[in-house]
Amino acid sequence: MPASLDFDDRLLSLGLARVAEQAALAAAPLIGRGDEKAADQAAVNAMREQLNMLDIRGVVVIGEGERDEAPMLFIGEEVGTGQGPGVDIALDPLEGTTLTAKDMPNALTVIAMGPRGSMLHAPDVYMEKLAIGPGFAPGVVSLDMAPAERVEALARARGCAARDITVCILERPRHAAMIAEVRRTGAAIRRIPDGDVAGVIHCADPDATGIDMYMGQGGAPEGVLAAAALKCMGGQIMGRLVFRNADEEARADKAGITDLDRVYTRDDLVRDDVIFAATGVTDGNLLSGIRREPGWRTTETLLMRSKSGSVRRMQYRTPLR
């Protein structure tokens, strides 16, 4: 039976939410402790344990790195009980390890699942990304436009001035010229220190988050995760891989990518219906972080299915042990 016919997204969605929740709860004791590696490892351990309880034949296509770089949740690792549908899994057990270690906003646990073959096997290289929310015609903005042109084009499409647009950009030295150009349009910029999956997701609900557009270079694997979220929420993302040397081009070849200049759309990055779950670790614009109350801990999880377009916000309360 084809994997797409065997993929019961409704049945699997609550299990996926539990995976994200448990990873966030595992990382919670390390919030603000200054130890990025320990926080990440705690989330990885919990996420893998929960995935192996699901009745799936899962393969990690976006994960912690290659087999020789990551002892678990590495790219190509098989997870699940081995019973049930064949699925692709994209994950980031702790998106924002630095944010967690420093108790800064917008750290999340993130995971997406789709039928086997549904997600691009993105190599671990940079990707130039551009994202906007739902309701706009295809091509209203593009990667071939200069940053200022993108802002002005989106403002025209919205029927507003450029100064009414807010752009989210990852704070890195490589983005200095982009930030300067965007500022010259009069647009506002929200700089984020880490967590560009959350940055892209913010575009899907600008009324709530205040973010209209995301642009800049970040990890290609995170681009696939962000595309999975926008597949559920609506919105556009465009990505083009960035190669700095021959070794990175070899990674693309290993992943089966031959057109190194291709611009990927959301539906190129995620080709079939998916489930997406994210749980807040620290407070952010998108989700509340872990709440510690006398005797209890509470999580907030965003659970979405692209097939139905459903978006659920779920609270989970568990006794402190």
Side-chain angles (χ1 to χ4, degrees), residues 38-236:
D40 186 54
Q41 191 61 57
V44 168
N45 292 345
M47 185 168 277
R48 185 172 186 259
E49 180 181 359
Q50 290 296 315
L51 278 170
N52 282 331
M53 294 180 185
L54 298 182
D55 285 330
I56 55 172
R57 291 177 290 112
V59 174
V60 177
V61 298
I62 301 292
E64 289 288 277
E66 301 291 341
R67 181 190 297 265
D68 57 352
E69 298 171 355
M72 58 180 68
L73 297 183
F74 54 82
I75 297 167
E77 183 175 3
E78 296 181 0
V79 293
T81 64
Q83 306 296 316
V87 298
D88 280 356
I89 297 170
L91 53 85
D92 193 338
L94 187 56
E95 212 246 338
T97 55
T98 301
L99 302 178
T100 302
K102 295 182 177 181
D103 196 4
M104 296 173 68
N106 290 316
L108 306 170
T109 60
V110 184
I111 186 165
M113 180 187 294
R116 188 68 53 80
S118 58
M119 300 180 197
L120 178 73
H121 294 211
D124 189 12
V125 299
Y126 280 136
M127 175 183 279
E128 184 184 2
K129 304 171 195 173
L130 175 62
I132 58 175
F136 297 102
V140 67
V141 295
S142 77
L143 285 174
D144 292 329
M145 293 176 173
E149 291 176 316
R150 299 168 186 170
V151 172
E152 291 158 359
L154 184 60
R156 285 194 300 272
R158 278 192 51 191
C160 67
R163 66 176 177 273
D164 298 318
I165 299 293
T166 299
V167 183
C168 182
I169 301 177
L170 195 63
E171 190 162 20
R172 296 290 186 272
R174 62 181 178 270
H175 292 149
M178 174 183 288
I179 289 169
E181 183 175 342
V182 170
R183 286 211 188 281
R184 286 195 290 271
T185 69
I189 295 175
R190 185 175 300 175
R191 302 190 196 193
I192 55 172
D194 286 294
D196 68 343
V197 174
V200 172
I201 296 173
H202 286 160
C203 299
D205 192 1
D207 291 337
T209 65
I211 302 296
D212 301 292
M213 178 186 292
Y214 177 91
M215 68 172 82
Q217 290 184 12
E222 288 82 0
V224 176
L225 276 164
L230 293 189
K231 187 95 170 179
C232 299
M233 302 177 78
Q236 301 176 34

Side-chain angles (χ1 to χ4, degrees), residues 225-282:
L225 276 164
L230 293 189
K231 187 95 170 179
C232 299
M233 302 177 78
Q236 301 176 34
I237 182 170
M238 291 133 274
R240 180 163 48 207
L241 299 175
V242 177
F243 301 100
R244 297 172 295 179
N245 51 51
D247 176 66
E248 292 188 349
E249 291 182 1
R251 293 184 202 177
D253 183 66
K254 185 178 178 181
I257 294 170
T258 56
D259 184 354
L260 303 186
D261 298 316
R262 178 175 176 177
V263 173
Y264 295 90
T265 66
R266 183 194 72 184
D267 294 339
D268 295 324
L269 295 169
V270 179
R271 296 181 287 265
D272 207 332
D273 283 316
V274 292
I275 321 164
F276 179 93
T279 300
V281 177
T282 60

Side-chain angles (χ1 to χ4, degrees), residues 283-295:
D283 283 337
N285 305 90
L286 191 66
L287 288 162
S288 297
I290 304 292
R291 301 288 185 199
R292 187 184 178 105
E293 301 161 330

